[in-house]
Amino acid sequence: MKNKLLKSIFAIAFGCAFFVSCKPKDSSDTVDGDAAQKVYVAPGKYDEFYNFVSGGFSGQVSVYGLPSGRLLRVMPVFSEDPQSGYGYSEETKAMLNTSHGYVPWDDQHHLDLSQTNGEVDGRWLFANANNTPRIARIDLKTFKTAEIIELPNCGGNHSSPFITQNTEYIVGASRFSVPADNDDGDVPINTYKKNFKGHLSFVKVGKEGELDLAFQIVTPGVNFDLSHPGKKESHGWFFFSCYNTEQANTLLEVNASKNDKDFIMAVNWKKAEEYIKAGKGKRVPANYVHNTWDEKTQTAKSEIKKEVLILDAAELKDICYMIPCPKSPHGCDIDPTGEYIVGSGKLAALIPVFSFTKLKNAIAKKQFDGNYAGIPVVKYEAALHGEVQKPGLGPLHTEFDGKGNAYTTMFVSSEVVKWSIKDLKVLDRKATYYSPGHLMIPGGNTEKPFGKYLVVYNKITKDRFLPTGPELAQSAQLFDISGDKMKLLLDYPTIGEPHYAQGIPADKIRNNGQLKYYKMADNLHPYVARGEKETKVVREGKKVHVYMTCIRSHFAPDNIEGIRVGDEVYFHVTNLEQDWDVPHGFAIKGANTAELLIMPGETITLKWVPQKKGIFPFYCTDFCSALHQEMQGYVRVSPAGSNVPITYSLGTNLPKE
């Protein structure tokens, strides 16, 4: 009987999700007559908000303006980017180093903005890498990836990179539990229950944003989905949704959905800090890589770390507690007061809301229902504030407007539902198109949300945009939530597969000392040429270093001879411009990497190994002036072993008659 019920649930869920046969009841496309006016941003005017959106399988992060939905930028983070040369230039290659070697791609799911006193502050954006577990820090003065730290002992890093109210810690948790790196991983897969473990990573953030893996908590082998930190009274705690408490290792769609309930894990990280001070942690070997970008030298470097501090949740009984939650939970969201913890079982027809006050009391009174692999299980009713009844099908993720209301996406019934935190009554519902995953209210995961807009990120977009072959555009939908009822304002496509996103008032970033160009005097790149008089070409055996400059509208030098087949040629190109938004590009025929995109005052290096003799043009790839087409040069490549000497020039190697 139970298996038949499971099959019925899956049939409904997958039928709705993948064939969009279960459209919401109010699936008309009508919007209010003033919708266009509300999203219109006049020429020359700025949007109210920055909207940072995860790029999913693209590995990057995109930036949109709200309410216009205009794409402003794609920021390279975990994947190579031919447009900018990220991952191809000699300076940026180190950013993609890992303990597995150079990894040119990842699956970027979630984002979080730095906070001060529980409010977004506009300093940094943090991003997770799900496939090869990593956390990145993006500097919002430059919109560049400034740092990436790898997380050892993890298989996947989905429950990440969520941060505490003063950016003390960023967390990451194993999506797929695996044997620890220091264990013998060569074990049968079906020994999951014995050999597989989960790990919660707590990454410390320094005053300048620098990242350090402070400690990990080893947990039973489960899958961690999402997490959020406590706030105010619950500050000092972190909450993680867990699934596969069956500890299945095959056909998880059935075998990991057998239990009626999975868990939310409540973690007392303040107590964990106390244990560390008391010497309860154990340092264990673990190889992981920490990559940092130096703005002064404009170069990345990698450092290999050799150990990590571990706390065992099963041994230290009062740092982790399990709260039962409807099966296969996804979201784990904390309201702005820090009192209410919202769980979201993907196959549930209700939303459980837990009380932090009740949780503390239950722990104090030891109102437990046994333990799970050594971790106390708090009784469901003892921690429960109440349940939102009949909100829709397939609740996934919840955000808050700061006015006492919560908004939850319903994946199966394709809608977003507004409900009251106090009395758990459904107040409004609106159709989405289709199968929404995450949603975002600017500041909606902080103590002070900006409750004006809500954006829903949809997994399926049938009939919403012009068709583009077998794969359709990824989708976002903008709602006005300033009134009692939600109002659909706009559809706009996004890159990759959007998952979680962040929003912040534009002035918190725009007026926060954003960099417009790099000052030449501050450029400490080892191969910088601060003017055309410093340009040169130097041979060091088979290596050739070209100290090159670019300025509207020429390169110096623009004629180079004496390069040989098989040489390693390093073009160190410095952009001499000292004006905002005047980048130059550099590309050469036959290069098997990418172009360079060099910002004003910046030096970037392209490595080129010519494979055959001949004349090879190079040129500026970024339209920079009326004479952009004339911004070019030539490299002469002679056979290997040739005696043609190195020569270089600008404006003197005139044509022969």
Side-chain angles (χ1 to χ4, degrees):
M1 182 66 184
K2 192 171 183 179
N3 286 337
K4 288 183 179 179
L5 179 60
L6 273 173
K7 289 179 181 178
S8 298
I9 291 172
F10 282 119
I12 294 170
F14 288 118
C16 291
F18 293 103
F19 300 104
V20 198
S21 57
C22 302
K23 290 188 179 182
K25 292 179 181 178
D26 59 340
S27 59
S28 65
D29 288 342
T30 56
V31 294
D32 289 350
D34 63 349
Q37 183 177 346
K38 287 184 176 181
V39 301
Y40 179 67
V41 177
K45 300 294 183 182
Y46 293 135
D47 279 283
E48 296 175 64
F49 292 89
Y50 283 103
N51 178 206
F52 299 99
V53 184
S54 69
F57 41 69
S58 78
Q60 315 296 35
V61 174
S62 54
V63 188
Y64 297 83
L66 293 180
S68 71
R70 298 181 297 198
L71 176 63
L72 304 177
R73 178 148 187 203
V74 175
M75 300 186 293
V77 184
F78 293 114
S79 295
E80 293 175 336
D81 180 47
Q83 178 176 319
S84 65
Y86 180 84
Y88 293 104
S89 71
E90 294 303 294
E91 290 80 3
T92 60
K93 284 179 180 178
M95 293 301 290
L96 299 180
N97 286 340
T98 75
S99 62
H100 306 274
Y102 179 83
V103 176
W105 166 89
D106 218 298
D107 187 17
Q108 198 284 298
H109 277 217
H110 305 122
L111 303 166
D112 215 354
L113 285 162
S114 57
Q115 297 180 30
T116 302
N117 297 325
E119 300 179 50
V120 289
D121 57 29
R123 292 178 295 165
W124 308 304
L125 178 71
F126 300 98
N128 77 319
N130 186 34
N131 184 62
T132 303
R134 287 169 285 173
I135 290 174
R137 176 174 63 89
I138 299 165
D139 188 338
L140 293 179
K141 287 186 177 180
T142 59
F143 280 54
K144 282 188 173 182
T145 302
E147 197 167 358
I148 297 177
I149 191 167
E150 189 178 5
L151 303 181
N153 299 314
C154 297
N157 172 39
H158 193 256
S159 191
S160 171
F162 301 105
I163 67 171
T164 51
Q165 65 187 20
N166 283 298
T167 319
E168 298 97 336
Y169 288 109
I170 315 168
V171 302
S174 309
R175 177 177 178 181
F176 316 108
S177 289
V178 292
D181 291 354
N182 196 43
D183 293 342
D184 180 9
D186 183 17
V187 295
I189 296 172
N190 63 7
T191 63
Y192 185 112
K193 292 183 180 181
K194 177 183 177 182
N195 292 313
F196 289 41
K197 297 293 182 182
H199 283 78
L200 311 178
S201 301
F202 284 76
V203 177
K204 192 75 174 174
V205 184
K207 290 183 179 180
E208 301 301 320
E210 60 274 21
L211 305 179
D212 177 57
L213 180 53
F215 63 94
Q216 291 185 316
I217 298 175
V218 61
T219 73
V222 296
N223 291 32
F224 291 96
D225 200 331
L226 281 175
S227 59
H228 271 102
K231 304 176 179 74
K232 296 182 178 178
E233 286 301 313
S234 58
H235 176 58
W237 289 72
F238 238 103
F239 303 90
F240 299 80
S241 59
C242 314
Y243 65 105
N244 191 24
T245 55
E246 298 85 351
Q247 296 187 311
N249 59 269
T250 183
L251 197 62
L252 266 65
E253 62 177 330
V254 173
N255 294 322
S257 298
K258 291 180 176 180
N259 295 340
D260 288 334
K261 285 184 170 63
D262 285 304
F263 297 113
I264 286 175
M265 179 184 284
V267 179
N268 187 339
W269 59 263
K270 287 283 190 181
K271 178 63 70 173
E273 287 184 328
E274 291 177 13
Y275 278 126
I276 290 169
K277 289 180 181 178
K280 298 292 186 181
K282 299 176 183 177
R283 294 201 172 273
V284 301
N287 284 331
Y288 61 101
V289 174
H290 183 198
N291 306 321
T292 53
W293 176 260
D294 186 332
E295 283 290 359
K296 292 183 178 180
T297 63
Q298 298 173 0
T299 302
K301 65 178 181 179
S302 295
E303 181 183 3
I304 299 175
K305 302 283 189 173
K306 291 293 187 181
E307 65 177 16
V308 64
L309 185 64
I310 295 287
L311 297 174
D312 191 327
E315 293 178 3
L316 306 171
K317 302 292 185 183
D318 53 354
I319 56 174
C320 293
Y321 300 90
M322 296 295 208
I323 310 170
C325 184
K327 69 173 65 180
S328 302
H330 181 62
C332 179
D333 303 291
I334 317 301
D335 88 307
T337 71
E339 171 63 17
Y340 299 109
I341 306 150
V342 181
S344 298
K346 296 195 294 286
L347 302 178
L350 57 82
I351 301 172
V353 182
F354 302 99
S355 161
F356 180 69
T357 301
K358 287 187 174 183
L359 172 64
K360 285 197 303 180
N361 290 337
I363 292 171
K365 295 177 182 178
K366 298 189 183 300
Q367 293 176 314
F368 300 140
D369 206 357
N371 69 80
Y372 179 83
I375 298 178
V377 177
V378 176
K379 289 184 177 180
Y380 180 73
E381 294 78 9
L384 188 69
H385 167 61
E387 297 172 339
V388 182
Q389 297 293 329
K390 299 181 180 179
L393 294 175
L396 283 190
H397 176 60
T398 300
E399 294 244 317
F400 309 90
D401 63 7
K403 306 169 190 174
N405 303 310
Y407 301 75
T408 303
T409 47
M410 301 290 164
F411 181 79
V412 178
S413 54
S414 289
E415 55 189 331
V416 59
V417 175
K418 176 182 178 180
W419 50 276
S420 167
I421 301 170
K422 183 178 180 180
D423 60 20
L424 308 177
K425 300 295 185 184
V426 172
L427 304 175
D428 191 23
R429 63 178 72 241
K430 284 291 182 184
T432 59
Y433 308 96
Y434 305 94
S435 301
H438 284 285
L439 75 165
M440 184 281 302
I441 295 171
N445 65 329
T446 71
E447 293 179 20
K448 292 190 177 180
F450 305 90
K452 184 174 183 179
Y453 297 119
L454 177 152
V455 184
V456 176
Y457 302 93
N458 299 308
K459 301 299 186 186
I460 297 170
T461 59
K462 286 180 170 66
D463 71 32
R464 300 307 291 178
F465 304 104
L466 285 172
T468 52
E471 185 186 20
L472 302 179
Q474 309 295 323
S475 169
Q477 292 188 298
L478 176 69
F479 290 83
D480 180 348
I481 59 169
S482 59
D484 291 335
K485 299 293 183 181
M486 296 177 282
K487 297 178 181 179
L488 176 61
L489 300 180
L490 181 70
D491 283 15
Y492 61 96
T494 67
I495 70 161
E497 182 191 352
H499 289 262
Y500 192 42
Q502 290 279 276
I504 185 172
D507 287 349
K508 281 184 172 282
I509 293 177
R510 189 165 61 91
N511 299 334
N512 196 24
Q514 204 172 88
L515 186 74
K516 294 186 175 180
Y517 60 87
Y518 296 92
K519 294 179 181 179
M520 285 301 309
D522 296 337
N523 185 336
L524 299 181
H525 191 287
Y527 293 97
V528 63
R530 293 187 179 86
E532 292 182 3
K533 291 183 179 179
E534 296 183 13
T535 60
K536 56 187 175 181
V537 181
V538 178
R539 176 177 287 283
E540 297 175 353
K542 290 197 66 174
K543 292 183 178 180
V544 178
H545 294 278
V546 180
Y547 295 71
M548 180 177 281
T549 62
C550 55
I551 195 167
R552 287 167 287 186
S553 296
H554 63 268
F555 292 98
D558 66 359
N559 280 201
I560 301 171
E561 301 187 31
I563 305 299
R564 302 166 187 160
V565 171
D567 279 345
E568 292 182 9
V569 184
Y570 295 88
F571 293 96
H572 309 289
V573 187
T574 300
N575 183 344
L576 296 179
E577 308 283 358
Q578 292 288 269
D579 194 8
W580 190 19
D581 194 31
V582 190
H584 289 293
F586 176 84
I588 187 165
K589 179 182 177 181
N592 60 3
T593 51
E595 65 154 4
L596 300 178
L597 192 62
I598 312 114
M599 297 300 119
E602 190 176 39
T603 303
I604 304 184
T605 303
L606 181 74
K607 178 182 178 181
W608 176 56
V609 181
Q611 300 298 309
K612 57 185 179 181
K613 65 181 181 180
I615 301 296
F616 292 81
F618 58 85
Y619 68 102
C620 176
T621 56
D622 190 301
F623 205 102
C624 55
S625 72
L627 296 176
H628 166 74
Q629 290 294 96
E630 285 75 15
M631 192 169 175
Q632 67 168 71
Y634 295 100
V635 174
R636 174 187 171 187
V637 177
S638 300
S642 168
N643 292 321
V644 175
I646 289 284
T647 59
Y648 56 94
S649 61
L650 172 68
T652 59
N653 189 28
L654 299 177
K656 291 184 177 181
E657 295 295 334

